[in-house]
Amino acid sequence: NAGVTQTPKFQVLKTGQSMTLQCAQDMNHEYMSWYRQDPGMGLRLIHYSVGAGITDQGEVPNGYNVSRSTTEDFPLRLLSAAPSQTSVYFCASTRGGSPRDTQYFGPGTRLTVL
Amino acid sequence: ILNVEQSPQSLHVQEGDSTNFTCSFPSSNFYALHWYRWETAKSPEALFVMTLNGDEKKKGRISATLNTKEGYSYLYIKGSQPEDSATYLCAFKPGYSSASKIIFGSGTRLSIRP
């Protein structure tokens, strides 16, 4: 199993550009999430999904869209990039909602917005 | 807004010394607490899953305890080694909403001096 994969690993955007960060998992996990990691702030939840066709907002959803058309894929779209979105983005998946289900993280995407 | 706090933010420890750090979380609506280990240039990986008040978990020289009534968990490392250098994250799962809304602390960054 590849686990959770993310592309690209690095990306530089100009303010106002849009792009999609890709995330896929091959573990048949129901739950998937997107986090951003900023210095001193830990991991903050952007959006999450509890199954194909179901998404919901996390703590910091503004400026981002998600969709979940399949169990495997959970892309994150930046609609109009801003310098405040410079961050490292992690996608994670979880088998389900039981207390014992932990997160499996992808390798991260480092995004710089100029 | 749920708050999960970890202290200290960073820690420098001499090789061979023992150390511990704290995760504080809301004492109501507890579902689970997870500890993750996050090495530089890698992704976080689950270390412990804790679900019951009084839980004690151990993996080698690392152990954790849980007090859900007062809302804290301790992580202990006995006889620190250079390979223990990492950021240790705790993640709180509340029980009142989707179990996918996991709240991470900002982490304790541990450096071991040889």
Side-chain angles (χ1 to χ4, degrees), chain A residues 80-93:
Chain A
S80 176
S84 60
Q85 293 178 305
T86 293
S87 188
V88 182
Y89 291 85
F90 287 94
C91 178
S93 72

Side-chain angles (χ1 to χ4, degrees), chain A residues 30-32 48-52 54-56 68 74, chain B residues 98-100:
Chain A
E30 283 299 311
Y31 289 13
M32 295 185 75
Y48 66 98
S49 168
V50 297
I54 307 168
T55 63
D56 204 349
R68 184 102 179 268
F74 191 44
Chain B
S98 165
S100 186

Side-chain angles (χ1 to χ4, degrees), chain B residues 53-108:
Chain B
N53 185 44
D55 256 355
E56 290 190 24
K57 302 284 182 177
K58 188 171 180 185
K59 189 179 284 189
R61 293 176 292 97
I62 305 177
S63 60
T65 60
L66 179 69
N67 183 324
T68 60
K69 294 189 188 311
E70 295 182 40
Y72 65 83
S73 176
Y74 293 139
L75 191 82
Y76 300 91
I77 300 179
K78 188 177 175 183
S80 304
Q81 298 297 309
E83 59 264 28
D84 296 328
S85 295
T87 297
Y88 292 85
L89 294 173
C90 66
F92 171 68
K93 275 192 168 187
Y96 59 83
S97 63
S98 165
S100 186
K101 268 197 171 177
I102 298 165
I103 298 108
F104 282 85
S106 55
T108 292

Side-chain angles (χ1 to χ4, degrees), chain A residues 4 6 9 14 17 19 26 28 32 36 50 52 57 61 65-66 71 78 82 85 91-92 94-95 107:
Chain A
V4 181
Q6 289 182 238
K9 284 200 163 98
K14 292 182 181 174
Q17 285 185 313
M19 80 158 294
D26 61 359
N28 203 31
M32 295 185 75
R36 58 178 289 172
V50 297
Q57 295 182 349
N65 271 358
V66 291
T71 300
L78 279 71
Q85 293 178 305
C91 178
T94 308
R95 186 176 61 178

Side-chain angles (χ1 to χ4, degrees), chain A residues 6-12 19-22 89 108-110:
Chain A
Q6 289 182 238
T7 56
K9 284 200 163 98
F10 302 94
Q11 183 71 50
V12 178
M19 80 158 294
T20 299
L21 308 186
Q22 301 291 344
Y89 291 85
T109 295
R110 186 174 292 273

Side-chain angles (χ1 to χ4, degrees), chain B residues 13-86:
Chain B
V13 173
Q14 195 70 36
E15 182 177 350
D17 286 351
S18 296
T19 187
N20 65 85
F21 29 93
T22 308
C23 171
S24 300
F25 52 86
S27 56
S28 59
N29 292 303
F30 177 86
Y31 198 47
L33 187 88
H34 299 165
W35 281 98
Y36 290 81
R37 176 190 160 86
W38 192 356
E39 292 181 71
T40 303
K42 294 188 178 179
S43 304
E45 290 186 354
L47 193 54
F48 295 122
V49 172
M50 312 189 80
T51 57
L52 297 173
N53 185 44
D55 256 355
E56 290 190 24
K57 302 284 182 177
K58 188 171 180 185
K59 189 179 284 189
R61 293 176 292 97
I62 305 177
S63 60
T65 60
L66 179 69
N67 183 324
T68 60
K69 294 189 188 311
E70 295 182 40
Y72 65 83
S73 176
Y74 293 139
L75 191 82
Y76 300 91
I77 300 179
K78 188 177 175 183
S80 304
Q81 298 297 309
E83 59 264 28
D84 296 328
S85 295

